[in-house]
Amino acid sequence: MASNALRTGLSIGGGVLERYADWLPLTEATPCITLGEGSTPLVRAESLERATGADEVWLKLELCNPTGSFKDRGMVVAVAKAVEQSASAVLCASTGNTSASAAAYAARCGLRAFVLVPEGRIAQGKLAQAAAHGARVLAVDGNFDDALRLAQELTDQLPLALVNSVNPYRIEGQKTAAMEIVDSLGDAPDLHCIPVGNAGNITAYWKGYCEYFHAEIASRRPRMLGVQAAGAAPLVHGHPVEKPETIATAIRIGAPASWDGAIAARDESEGAIISTTDEQILDAYRMLADAEGVFCEPASAASVAGMLARHGDGSLAGQRVVCTITGHGLKDPERAVESVTADVVEIDSDFAQAVAAIEEGLQ
Ligand SMILES: *Cc1c(COP(=O)(O)O)cnc(C)c1O
């Protein structure tokens, strides 16, 4: 079949649309696009096992997706459906990663992309991605919540596809991460830790776990531990936060669009949504880089910070845990430079000086 030849030419092994076709709302007319998203690594984290007493702690490295965040899983479905529905352009509000992903998949499909970002509040790497892929950036004088409201108004009035996670195709695509975890481990974990901003992802994971459970591919479902930043924790407080503040820009959201989905995930899983301070987030961020070799962006470290805040007393004995690492550390290089003390020694181009610096470094 011609479409098969086309598929193999697009990506060897296929992406989310091909691997999880049976679980996605695809039709004959949905183009099988991919940038090689999904199939991300699941790696053990022994330092976190020691810290929590858990039998196993696994990191789902969603930072390995093509644009460096999990957003690609949902974006590939949303953009494929936009193409199917003959949209000529996509639009989103974004704290950065959604715009990077929308811009990349739109470029791949020859669509125009418009991204609304809160001015001055988006990490440099993410802005660079949107620019590289030729998206038009509307820098909004307001926060993410303002930008999302504007995006919804615009797509109500104009013939543009809204590709925020209020688009149900985004959630459908993102649920495949939970399915991959079950496919890899042979069953669902006991506990799943995940950062929460607009709350689309926790909603999506819970949907994925539930669908596999009902299909009897998984024998159980995990408790979901959602983690917000203390200055942007509406789900913890039970009401929206007017002026959310946190260094973890990807979760700097005061009025999550998927509020009900997050609460359902929490309650149905007998889990919790908690908050951690920026300091705890940065401690986890540094620990992941230093002890596990995983360089993520600050928001991603919230899942680990939350797990440590709640279970640093060893209370996860006997359990298997998965933490989602949502986005790449290179997205926010300024934060990295600011928050770690680089170990730099200045020397002349001189053998003896180099040896001295190395010997001192080995002590
Ligand atoms: C989008 C994003 C989040 C938050 O996900 P929500 O679905 O908005 O809750 C967390 N971390 C990173 C890196 C993100 O890009």
Side-chain angles (χ1 to χ4, degrees):
M1 249 165 42
S3 64
N4 275 340
L6 188 62
R7 273 181 198 175
T8 43
L10 286 169
S11 156
I12 307 298
V16 159
L17 294 183
E18 193 170 340
R19 291 189 61 219
Y20 289 96
D22 293 346
W23 301 89
L24 296 171
L26 309 179
T27 72
E28 287 287 298
T30 314
C32 192
I33 61 172
T34 185
L35 280 167
E37 64 292 322
S39 305
T40 55
L42 193 60
V43 301
R44 286 280 285 272
E46 288 181 2
S47 66
L48 297 175
E49 291 168 3
R50 284 192 296 275
T52 59
D55 276 14
E56 297 173 18
V57 175
W58 296 89
L59 305 176
K60 180 65 169 163
L61 298 185
E62 289 291 284
L63 50 74
C64 291
N65 276 298
T67 75
S69 85
F70 73 82
K71 298 297 198 299
D72 295 340
R73 281 182 194 275
M75 196 57 70
V76 72
V77 184
V79 170
K81 296 305 276 189
V83 171
E84 178 180 341
Q85 291 155 11
S86 306
S88 57
V90 298
L91 180 143
C92 64
S94 177
T95 58
N97 283 330
T98 299
S99 57
S101 187
Y105 283 89
R108 181 88 171 161
C109 297
L111 300 182
R112 192 89 176 93
F114 297 95
V115 304
L116 276 63
V117 302
E119 182 166 26
R121 294 293 193 155
I122 123 162
Q124 279 302 316
K126 303 175 187 180
L127 210 49
Q129 287 178 288
H133 295 301
R136 168 157 287 192
V137 177
L138 281 65
V140 178
D141 183 11
N143 61 28
F144 170 82
D145 303 295
D146 300 320
L148 181 58
R149 264 192 302 273
L150 191 53
Q152 282 173 313
E153 263 178 64
L154 287 165
T155 49
D156 281 347
Q157 307 278 332
L158 304 173
L160 304 167
L162 180 65
V163 293
N164 277 104
S165 57
V166 292
N167 178 330
Y169 299 128
R170 283 275 311 278
I171 305 288
E172 290 298 314
Q174 286 171 210
K175 80 184 177 191
T176 62
M179 293 172 162
E180 266 178 25
I181 289 165
V182 175
D183 290 340
S184 301
L185 296 177
D187 207 339
D190 297 294
L191 178 69
H192 189 112
C193 309
I194 185 167
V196 176
N198 214 21
N201 214 25
I202 190 172
T203 303
Y205 270 78
W206 184 239
K207 189 163 198 284
Y209 281 127
C210 287
E211 288 184 14
Y212 259 23
F213 176 70
H214 293 307
E216 297 180 16
I217 295 169
S219 74
R220 57 205 166 110
R221 299 176 292 185
R223 301 190 311 283
M224 298 297 296
L225 179 66
V227 187
Q228 303 206 283
L235 292 160
V236 178
H237 301 311
H239 57 77
V241 172
E242 187 101 1
K243 291 199 162 62
E245 271 309 337
T246 168
I247 51 96
T249 51
I251 54 173
R252 188 171 170 274
I253 292 175
S258 296
W259 184 290
D260 295 344
I263 298 299
R266 179 194 70 187
D267 295 347
E268 291 170 18
S269 77
E270 294 172 24
I273 298 178
I274 63 171
S275 66
T276 53
T277 63
D278 281 2
E279 231 155 90
Q280 289 172 309
I281 289 172
L282 286 174
D283 283 346
Y285 167 80
R286 284 184 285 254
M287 179 186 183
L288 281 166
D290 195 50
E292 296 294 346
V294 172
F295 183 34
C296 62
E297 64 170 284
S300 308
S303 54
V304 169
M307 176 182 70
L308 291 173
R310 207 171 165 85
H311 299 289
D313 57 354
S315 55
L316 288 178
Q319 306 210 5
R320 177 188 259 177
V321 186
V322 175
C323 298
T324 300
I325 306 298
T326 48
H328 205 290
L330 290 172
K331 297 263 189 182
D332 197 350
E334 288 171 338
R335 178 61 55 194
V337 170
E338 272 169 33
S339 58
V340 293
T341 318
D343 185 10
V344 180
V345 184
E346 288 188 11
I347 59 163
D348 296 329
S349 177
D350 177 82
F351 183 79
Q353 284 186 33
V355 169
I358 290 165
E359 283 181 343
E360 197 198 21
L362 286 171
Q363 277 165 22

